[in-house]
């Protein structure tokens, strides 16, 4: 499934390569600094990840896509890449959001079963 997501992002970026060539060198300093800080944060955080199940690893593709797009096109042209961001967001972020929710529902179901069986 991951190959499908990455292929879709690659295909969309390939279609927009002329936009990247036109916006080359038109970035403001703030977008360059923000993109660099974001990518540096991702690199440092991924170097100290304690386990392969860390939720940060699911968020890293989206955050790195945001950082690279800030470096490539700046703040003013970010809206041109919303499709790629949506794909990268849905690649891993929903599992980070739903995992605590599943844990809560599981514990709630277990408590309900315990109390309903203790009454009987």
């Amino acid at each position: 499934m991951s190959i499908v997501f990455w292929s879709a992002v690659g295909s969309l970026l390939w279609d927009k390569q002329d936009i990247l060539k036109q916006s080359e060198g038109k970035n403001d300093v703030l977008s360059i600094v923000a993109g660099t800080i974001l990518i540096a944060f991702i690199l440092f955080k991924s170097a100290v990840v304690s386990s392969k199940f860390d939720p940060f690893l699911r968020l890293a593709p989206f955050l790195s896509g945001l950082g690279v797009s800030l470096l490539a096109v700046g703040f003013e042209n970010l809206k041109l890449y919303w499709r790629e961001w949506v794909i990268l967001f849905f690649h891993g972020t929903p599992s980070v959001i739903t995992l605590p929710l599943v844990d809560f529902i599981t514990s709630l179901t277990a408590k309900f079963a315990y109390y309903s069986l203790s009454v009987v």
Side-chain angles (χ1 to χ4, degrees), residues 49-70:
V49 169
S50 60
S51 73
K52 64 180 181 178
F53 300 111
D54 192 1
F56 174 76
L57 295 177
R58 297 283 185 177
L59 297 173
F62 176 71
L63 294 176
S64 62
L66 178 62
V68 169
S69 61
L70 280 172

Side-chain angles (χ1 to χ4, degrees), residues 5 55-63 85-100:
F5 280 100
F56 174 76
L57 295 177
R58 297 283 185 177
L59 297 173
F62 176 71
L63 294 176
W85 283 2
V86 169
I87 292 171
L88 289 174
F89 177 82
F90 283 110
H91 183 323
T93 306
S95 64
V96 173
I97 295 170
T98 58
L99 188 61

Side-chain angles (χ1 to χ4, degrees), residues 13 20 27 31 34-36 38-39 42 60-74 78 81 85 88:
L13 288 175
L20 280 172
N27 299 351
S31 65
T36 304
L38 191 58
I39 290 174
I42 292 166
F62 176 71
L63 294 176
S64 62
L66 178 62
V68 169
S69 61
L70 280 172
L71 286 174
V73 295
L78 283 179
Y81 294 95
W85 283 2
L88 289 174

Side-chain angles (χ1 to χ4, degrees), residues 18-27 72-74 76-77 81:
D18 57 335
I19 296 172
L20 280 172
K21 290 177 184 174
Q22 291 173 355
S23 66
E24 188 175 298
K26 296 181 182 177
N27 299 351
V73 295
E76 64 271 355
N77 291 328
Y81 294 95

Side-chain angles (χ1 to χ4, degrees), residues 98-116:
T98 58
L99 188 61
L101 183 64
V102 168
D103 290 339
F104 173 73
I105 291 173
T106 304
S107 67
L108 188 66
T109 305
K111 288 177 185 177
F112 177 75
Y114 172 76
Y115 289 125
S116 65

